[in-house]
Amino acid sequence: MANHLITGLLRPEHPADRSCIDLPGGSGHSFADVHRLSARYAAALAALGVRPGDRVAAQVEKSAEALFLYLGCVRAGGVFLPLNTAYTLAEMEYFISDARPALVIADPARAEGFASVAEKHGVRHVETLAADGSGSLAVLAAAQSDDSWRDIERGPDDLAAILYTSGTTGRSKGAMLTHGNLRSNAEALVATWRFTSEDVLIHALPIFHTHGLFVATNVSLMAGATMILLPKFDPAEVLALMPRATVLMGVPTFYTRLLALPGLTRDATNSMRLFISGSAPLLADTHREFRERTGHAILERYGMTETSMNTSNPYEGDRVAGSVGFPLPRVEVRVTEPESGQALPIGATGMLEIRGPNVFAGYWGMPEKTQAEFRPDGFFISGDLGRIDERGYVWILGRGKDLVISGGFNVYPKEVELEIDALPGVVESAIIGLPHPDLGEAVTAVVVAGREGAPSEAAIVAALRMRLASYKLPKRVLFVDALPRNTMAKVQKNVLRERYRDLYNRG
């Protein structure tokens, strides 16, 4: 038995001298470099006492060395635990106490604070790794021999990583992802998105979550493609790189900021073959405007921490704005009645449930929570409301917890948001339910309006009255400069609910 994930990513058929990682400034690493340097990081981790199944927590800036660390951890049989670089030390203490890692790797500037937290929770080692590739772990890795390293054997069911959920409704949960989960998903995406060794990906995503690490990085490695590894998204830099690239993976914010550049034209994107968007819904207006400006239809897909990617709009065929496309190969998606789990017919709105080799092994240290989130037949209850139309396209209509029950009627936020977003002068909106003395919950709209021609509260409600049943109409429309978002660019409706919770109970 070999190392299941690594044999899928670091393939001997990839030409050793082909560029794997290109860095700003002209330097980079070949596939031979990635093999050699990740082996040194694996040996360094083993020298620090990391054994198969040990968690390795890393809060480090994006760099090629951070990717060597990820690969090295998997090659050493460890369980990689990437953590958002924005987390405070207090937040980090929760993850360390919960995951109980054998090793914590931090930016040198934060190492002193980590030392006391690590000691408190029995972590054996704290090492450092900086964005420029320096740090104590880098020094230790450089001292290792790469030609004598032998990957630790790991099978499809062995853990490869733990990713903590966004935690918008309480404490984050650690989703346990296996070698089989990550490899099968990368294989499905390489096939679905037609990735080859000729591709050059502009990699401008963070690498502490699924999108940047297990989608962008794993897919590129598996296909033998080249990654242009940028420390962060800069729209002007990304636009300048497009003539020598073929693919961009991003979040909706990437595309709205690119559209603000007058240089975004058909000529500028002529060598690009694919623009992918995820992590948050893409507005239909953004989809339309991008296509008009560039000739490219952005491909939206649907994934989550617990499953990586589940669906994708087709590479060939209609990429329908607002839809997340079809289930990936070997992935099943169904719509059920949330309470009973009874399957619902085509076109009905209910809970999206997912089954496939991509679905995680459960929540770390939470067996009861894990059991509650799975149906007896193995389908994972996603928590997302959606529907599947007559053509088989999947539509996401919001989180189950965001469902508004007003006067006994179910109101699906996305349905109302789509109508508001289509109104002239509206940039985007969020529908939330707020406590109401008569209705239980009142449908409430929070709207970001444009600078010119912004509609009034009365005008929005009047326009909706022609399109929606009366029980779906907002009781109030509140205007804000921007909607609060988490690090994954998802709107934090829990923040809005907390901010306006007393709106209907005043006076």
Side-chain angles (χ1 to χ4, degrees), residues 126-141:
V126 175
E127 301 293 336
T128 62
L129 187 64
D132 63 3
S134 63
S136 64
L137 186 63
V139 171
L140 182 60

Side-chain angles (χ1 to χ4, degrees), residues 18 150 327 431:
R18 181 186 291 276
R150 297 293 179 268
I431 292 294

Side-chain angles (χ1 to χ4, degrees), residues 95-109:
F95 299 116
I96 291 171
S97 66
D98 189 62
R100 304 186 303 280
L103 170 66
V104 172
I105 301 136
D107 187 274

Side-chain angles (χ1 to χ4, degrees), residues 349 385 397-417 420 431-433 439 441-445 464 468-475 493:
T349 296
L385 296 169
L397 301 177
R399 290 293 290 173
K401 64 179 179 294
D402 294 330
L403 175 70
V404 182
I405 304 176
S406 184
F409 292 99
N410 289 354
V411 179
Y412 298 101
K414 193 66 176 178
E415 182 181 10
V416 186
E417 290 163 358
I420 296 177
I431 292 294
I432 57 174
L439 299 171
E441 285 186 307
V443 179
T444 307
L464 295 180
L468 298 171
S470 59
Y471 70 87
K472 300 178 183 178
L473 299 178
K475 297 303 177 187
K493 292 189 175 182

Side-chain angles (χ1 to χ4, degrees), residues 329-387:
R330 300 176 63 198
V331 177
E332 300 172 78
V333 178
R334 71 185 183 189
V335 180
T336 65
E337 200 285 319
E339 294 301 321
S340 68
Q342 182 70 34
L344 294 176
I346 292 296
T349 296
M351 182 65 64
L352 292 177
E353 297 183 0
I354 301 147
R355 183 169 67 182
N358 58 315
V359 177
F360 75 138
Y363 294 111
W364 174 259
M366 295 182 174
E368 293 180 357
K369 177 66 174 174
T370 298
Q371 185 177 8
E373 298 299 325
F374 281 88
R375 299 292 186 193
D377 59 0
F379 273 85
F380 170 60
I381 305 168
S382 72
D384 289 320
L385 296 169
R387 63 181 175 88

